[in-house]
Amino acid sequence: MNQKYLILNTESIFDPYLREAYRCIEPACEKARIGSRSLVVMSMWPIEIDSLGRITTGSLASWTLESSGDEASLVKDGFAFMRQHFDHTLVSYGGLGVDCQVLQLAAMAANLTLPRQLAEAQGPRWKDLRHIDLGLALKGPGKTWHHLSEVLLRLGVPVAPLLGKADPAIRPDEINWSQIEQHCELDVLFTAMALVAWVRLQGRTPMSIPAGHLALLESFHRRRPDTIREPILRRMVEDLRSDLGDGRNLAT
C-alpha cells in the first residue's frame, strides 16, 4: 500500500489590531502572543511513496490573503484541499506549535470545522499518524529540538537555498505576495525532503534519501520553474544526478 502524505506550510503575521487589543487586556505582556497572528499564506503538496520507493507528487497548491480576499476564505480553501486528500497524513515541521495553532484560531473565527487531519489527536501527538510533526517526531521523548535548517544541512543540502529561510520578510504594511508565496512553497519542498529522510530512517521505504531528494527536486522544478531559488535548486539536481550516477548514494 502506498504511503500518502500531504505536506503543509503556512506563513502568518502579527495582526496589529489583535496585538494592541490583547495589550489593552494584559498591559504587562510585552511579548506578542500567537493568538495575535493572522494567516497570510498556506501551501500544501501531496506526495505518495510506493512499496518500491518510487515517489509520485500531486499539485502544489497555495492560497494567499491577496488571492482569497480574507483569512476566512483562505482557511476555507485550504481545508477543502485537505478534505480532498482525506486519506493523506498531514506533515509539517514544527506545525503543532505554530501552523496548527494559527489554523485552529482562524477556523474558529471563520466558524469552520477542522478537516480530519487537524482534529483532536488520539493518544500522543507524535504518534498520531493523521498528522506528523517532523520536529516533534525527531525530538521524541528527548529534550532537543532541531531546526529544519539544521536537519537539511546534515542531509547535505547546501547553505545557499536556506539563506533567508527564517525570515520571509513579511511586514503588515508591505507584503510582496509572489515572494512570500514562493517562500512558503520552498518550505514545503524542504519539509518533504526531511520527510523522505525520516521515512527512510524508520525503515518504511527501500528508497535512498538522495534518490528521494532528486525525485522531489525534479518534480518541484517542473511545477515551479521560475521559483526564486531556481538556479540553486537546478545545481542541487545536477549534483544529485552525478552522485547517483556513480552509485555512491544508492541504498544497499
Side-chain angles (χ1 to χ4, degrees):
M1 182 180 294
N2 290 5
Q3 300 174 62
K4 299 181 180 182
Y5 302 103
L6 183 61
I7 316 301
L8 166 74
N9 188 62
T10 71
E11 300 294 345
S12 57
I13 59 172
F14 285 110
D15 183 288
Y17 166 74
L18 292 175
R19 192 170 182 176
E20 185 60 30
Y22 188 75
R23 209 175 258 167
C24 291
I25 299 170
E26 292 285 350
C29 184
E30 297 182 1
K31 187 177 180 180
R33 305 275 295 174
I34 196 168
S36 299
R37 297 194 75 91
S38 179
L39 193 69
V40 294
V41 185
M42 186 187 328
S43 297
M44 282 181 276
W45 195 19
I47 72 170
E48 295 186 29
I49 305 174
D50 70 13
S51 59
L52 298 178
R54 295 172 299 194
I55 291 179
T56 303
T57 62
S59 299
L60 177 56
S62 292
W63 305 267
T64 69
L65 196 62
E66 181 188 49
S67 63
S68 297
D70 55 35
E71 186 185 52
S73 298
L74 194 167
V75 176
K76 185 177 180 180
D77 291 342
F79 282 5
F81 192 77
M82 280 191 202
R83 290 189 171 99
Q84 290 172 16
H85 298 85
F86 67 93
D87 58 345
H88 286 55
T89 298
L90 195 68
V91 178
S92 66
Y93 199 99
L96 287 173
V98 181
D99 304 79
C100 292
Q101 300 296 318
V102 176
L103 284 172
Q104 288 183 88
L105 291 169
M108 290 171 66
N111 192 32
L112 299 174
T113 59
L114 295 174
R116 183 188 68 88
Q117 296 96 325
L118 293 175
E120 187 176 356
Q122 302 298 316
R125 282 192 175 272
W126 68 279
K127 288 185 177 181
D128 184 357
L129 296 185
R130 287 177 300 173
H131 175 197
I132 299 173
D133 181 333
L134 289 173
L136 186 57
L138 289 172
K139 172 184 173 291
K143 297 182 178 180
T144 302
W145 291 89
H146 307 292
H147 293 295
L148 179 55
S149 295
E150 291 180 284
V151 175
L152 294 170
L153 289 172
R154 290 299 299 265
L155 291 172
V157 174
V159 172
L162 303 177
L163 293 175
K165 182 184 177 308
D167 183 10
I170 311 177
R171 305 294 181 266
D173 57 345
E174 184 179 352
I175 299 179
N176 183 322
W177 290 105
S178 175
Q179 180 176 318
I180 190 56
E181 182 177 354
Q182 291 184 61
H183 182 97
C184 193
E185 290 181 345
L186 278 171
D187 274 353
V188 164
L189 169 63
F190 294 144
T191 301
M193 294 174 72
L195 171 67
V196 163
W198 185 79
V199 170
R200 170 66 171 169
L201 188 70
Q202 306 303 314
R204 297 182 184 178
T205 178
M207 169 184 54
S208 74
I209 294 172
H213 285 177
L214 177 58
L216 290 171
L217 285 163
E218 288 181 328
S219 179
F220 186 88
H221 187 265
R222 286 194 299 272
R223 285 166 170 74
R224 297 294 187 268
D226 300 320
T227 186
I228 50 180
R229 294 285 192 267
E230 192 274 336
I232 300 170
L233 297 182
R234 187 174 65 245
R235 178 59 185 272
M236 291 172 64
V237 167
E238 293 170 354
D239 289 345
L240 283 167
R241 282 177 180 165
S242 176
D243 289 349
L244 289 167
D246 64 22
R248 284 189 288 137
N249 285 329
L250 294 176
T252 55

